[in-house]
Amino acid sequence: MMVDKVLEKLKITALNQMQEETLAAGKGGNDLVLLAPTGSGKTLGFLLPLLHQLNAAVAGVQALVLVPSRELALQIEMVFRQMGTGFKVNCCYGGHPVKTERNNFEEPPAVLIGTPGRIAYHLRHENFDESRISILVLDEFDKALEFGFQDDMSYIIGKLLCLKQRILTSATAMEEIPGFTGIDKPIEINFLKDAAVVPDLKLKKVSTTAADKLDTLLKLICKIGEKRTLIFCNHRETVDRISDLLIDQDLAHDIFHGGMEQDERERALLKFRNGSIKMLITTDLASRGLDIPEVECIIHYQLPYTEDAFLHRNGRTARMNARGTAYLVIADDEKYPFLKADIEAENLKGSWPLPKDSEWQTLYIAAGKKDKVNKIDIVGLLLKKGGLQQDEVGLIEVKDQVSYVAIKRRLVGRVLTALVNERIKNKKVKIEIAM
């Protein structure tokens, strides 16, 4: 497939320099090591050379993409589907029903994306044939090592006997690449210090005391207003404590951390993606590799312990040459050696109203891909039966069993009433506000 057709599907006018270099280097089948910061477009960077190696005449899995998190797996799957290649893609990860994944292997995908633990499980149980896999991508490899996936990755790579190309991506440079990867004399594409992808990020320090920290945060949130904002904490308990404060103020937001069920985490990201909520409170779980949109503001309610983690958090904003602001909420007794001394102070004198709710709200539809439902079906239902105009329908995401769609908040009640007895694909389905 021509690159320009893929870009047209993705609504991208042109590749950036990193993506162009990766595509050119990858076409020759060489092993690649791609070093680039979070938010620079690495996913498309490795998917294009991967696509170049796929053969429509070959049945079975041809490419394997290993990732450190479920959310990253889902993001890459979504990007590949949007590319409209005609090749089947599937996702495997912990928390996803094993039975569903096993059923998907009955007609195996050309591209398989998954977390190391789940892919290793399927290999051990011989749920798919790995003998035709010729290209391997180790995405966010540094994070996968940090999460302790070395044994699983080593086992998986040891089973792939027909590999012709390996692509490794990382947001941090490594002194040496572990031998189990099988990567030898790769072409290295290093954009970690490239000026073209340096973000326009402004740091601002918000001074407070330990006792006043929550009150200071609320005041800062009010001053920031309705900008899309990520609030980072070091601990799940802190995320929940801030959430309780915002619930008391009736402020729309969501939370994201490793203690939540997988479907809760996916729903929180989805609502943040489609603009139904403008505030997401999270641990470092959301600092990398997630499919979330341009974030205008980062608030470090608790600063991380290392400079690397600090940089990865800040990488969620000011992406792809956009601008962003990171606010550092620091109590008098907190010291961070990686911070510069001359950070601009943010003045919180004055008063600001609580931010208003987003103009969008998310609807849940109890039908998905397994019911043969697609985005066109949902748009048709909302326009013809729900009485909406096209600009009153936002982002639609269709999962295996369920779907979600953002519509204008002011119209939700009317739409739910209009659709109470309607059907999709001749099946009556439950439609309600996504909680």
Side-chain angles (χ1 to χ4, degrees):
M1 174 179 265
M2 296 295 291
V3 173
D4 53 356
K5 288 186 178 178
V6 170
L7 296 185
E8 186 181 333
K9 293 273 189 182
L10 294 174
K11 297 182 172 62
I12 296 173
T13 53
L15 297 176
N16 63 29
Q17 186 183 348
M18 179 269 291
Q19 292 162 340
E20 286 181 346
E21 287 191 23
T22 307
L23 177 59
K27 276 184 175 179
N30 304 86
D31 286 354
L32 303 180
V33 171
L34 173 58
L35 305 174
T38 299
S40 55
K42 288 198 299 294
T43 299
L44 189 56
F46 68 72
L47 284 180
L48 286 171
L50 178 153
L51 177 60
H52 187 75
Q53 304 290 346
L54 295 181
N55 183 347
V58 174
V61 183
Q62 299 178 55
L64 176 64
V65 183
L66 290 179
V67 297
S69 72
R70 307 158 181 177
E71 288 79 15
L72 182 54
L74 289 164
Q75 172 192 335
I76 296 168
E77 180 189 34
M78 185 165 66
V79 172
F80 191 83
R81 287 186 192 281
Q82 289 170 345
M83 288 166 67
T85 66
F87 288 102
K88 185 180 178 183
V89 61
N90 279 134
C91 222
C92 296
Y93 51 87
H96 194 228
V98 170
K99 184 179 178 182
T100 299
E101 294 178 352
R102 203 181 289 122
N103 290 342
N104 286 336
F105 287 132
E106 290 180 8
E107 292 182 26
V111 179
L112 178 61
I113 305 162
T115 51
R118 183 52 67 91
I119 296 295
Y121 169 88
H122 285 303
L123 278 173
R124 288 189 178 99
H125 289 79
E126 299 181 350
N127 290 335
F128 71 94
D129 178 5
E130 77 282 2
S131 66
R132 294 182 180 86
I133 296 177
S134 61
I135 180 167
L136 170 70
V137 178
L138 301 170
D139 191 26
E140 299 277 15
F141 182 71
D142 52 338
K143 198 71 176 173
L145 291 179
E146 186 183 317
F147 284 176
F149 289 133
Q150 177 165 334
D151 289 347
D152 283 330
M153 289 191 292
S154 181
Y155 168 75
I156 293 164
I157 295 169
K159 298 283 284 183
L160 305 181
L161 304 180
C162 297
L163 284 180
K164 296 177 181 175
Q165 184 175 34
R166 294 166 167 89
I167 300 175
L168 183 153
T169 86
S170 176
T172 56
M174 291 173 289
E175 289 186 14
E176 62 176 338
I177 298 168
F180 72 81
T181 63
I183 293 175
D184 184 39
K185 297 178 182 176
I187 295 174
E188 182 178 288
I189 300 167
N190 190 342
F191 275 74
L192 288 177
K193 295 180 180 178
D194 189 83
V197 291
V198 172
D200 184 0
L201 177 68
K202 182 178 285 188
L203 295 182
K204 291 193 172 185
K205 181 178 178 179
V206 181
S207 298
T208 185
T209 64
D212 293 335
K213 206 166 186 181
L214 270 176
D215 291 336
T216 302
L217 174 66
L218 182 60
K219 205 164 191 180
L220 176 60
I221 287 170
C222 291
K223 184 173 183 181
I224 288 173
E226 294 163 34
K227 293 177 181 175
R228 202 186 296 259
T229 302
L230 272 174
I231 302 172
F232 277 107
C233 308
N234 294 340
H235 311 290
R236 299 172 185 176
E237 296 78 13
T238 312
V239 171
D240 292 334
R241 191 162 68 248
I242 294 171
S243 179
D244 289 341
L245 168 74
L246 300 189
I247 289 170
D248 289 343
Q249 299 292 331
D250 199 25
L251 266 176
H253 68 284
D254 220 319
I255 62 172
F256 183 85
H257 60 63
M260 300 165 62
E261 294 293 331
Q262 178 63 21
D263 63 335
E264 294 176 315
R265 280 159 51 180
E266 286 182 29
R267 201 158 51 243
L269 288 182
L270 185 144
K271 289 192 282 184
F272 193 60
R273 244 192 325 265
N274 68 24
S276 292
I277 58 161
K278 296 292 186 74
M279 252 187 302
L280 187 66
I281 314 162
T282 180
T283 59
D284 280 338
L285 191 62
S287 65
R288 321 172 45 173
L290 297 187
D291 178 32
I292 53 181
E294 186 59 52
V295 177
E296 296 165 273
C297 298
I298 298 282
I299 298 176
H300 299 272
Y301 181 77
Q302 294 171 317
L303 268 81
Y305 306 113
T306 67
E307 184 173 14
D308 264 359
F310 181 64
L311 294 173
H312 286 310
R313 285 183 181 185
N314 290 338
R316 303 314 316 181
T317 188
R319 304 169 74 189
M320 302 294 285
N321 303 319
R323 296 180 178 180
T325 306
Y327 296 92
L328 288 51
V329 183
I330 301 178
D332 302 334
D333 58 345
E334 293 178 316
K335 307 295 179 191
Y336 299 94
F338 55 81
L339 293 181
K340 295 178 181 177
D342 58 348
I343 298 173
E344 178 185 346
E346 176 71 5
N347 185 352
L348 290 184
K349 290 180 180 176
S351 63
W352 298 270
L354 292 169
K356 295 177 181 176
D357 288 347
S358 164
E359 65 175 337
W360 297 97
Q361 192 161 18
T362 302
L363 295 185
Y364 160 89
I365 301 171
K369 294 173 191 168
K370 299 297 182 185
D371 306 292
K372 310 296 184 188
V373 168
N374 58 36
K375 292 182 182 180
I376 296 170
D377 298 324
I378 294 170
V379 170
L381 179 74
L382 293 171
L383 269 53
K384 293 173 186 173
K385 304 292 187 178
L388 294 179
Q389 302 300 311
Q390 282 192 331
D391 61 357
E392 293 167 342
V393 179
L395 187 67
I396 300 171
E397 296 195 29
V398 182
K399 308 292 186 184
D400 281 345
Q401 313 287 351
V402 300
S403 303
Y404 296 93
V405 56
I407 69 170
K408 294 288 185 176
R409 184 177 296 269
R410 60 186 169 80
L411 301 172
V412 166
R414 191 191 83 193
V415 170
L416 289 178
T417 301
L419 298 181
V420 71
N421 290 312
E422 292 299 335
R423 296 171 176 265
I424 302 180
K425 293 283 173 72
N426 293 321
K427 178 186 174 185
K428 188 176 178 182
V429 296
K430 181 165 71 173
I431 302 175
E432 61 188 17
I433 296 171
M435 304 305 289

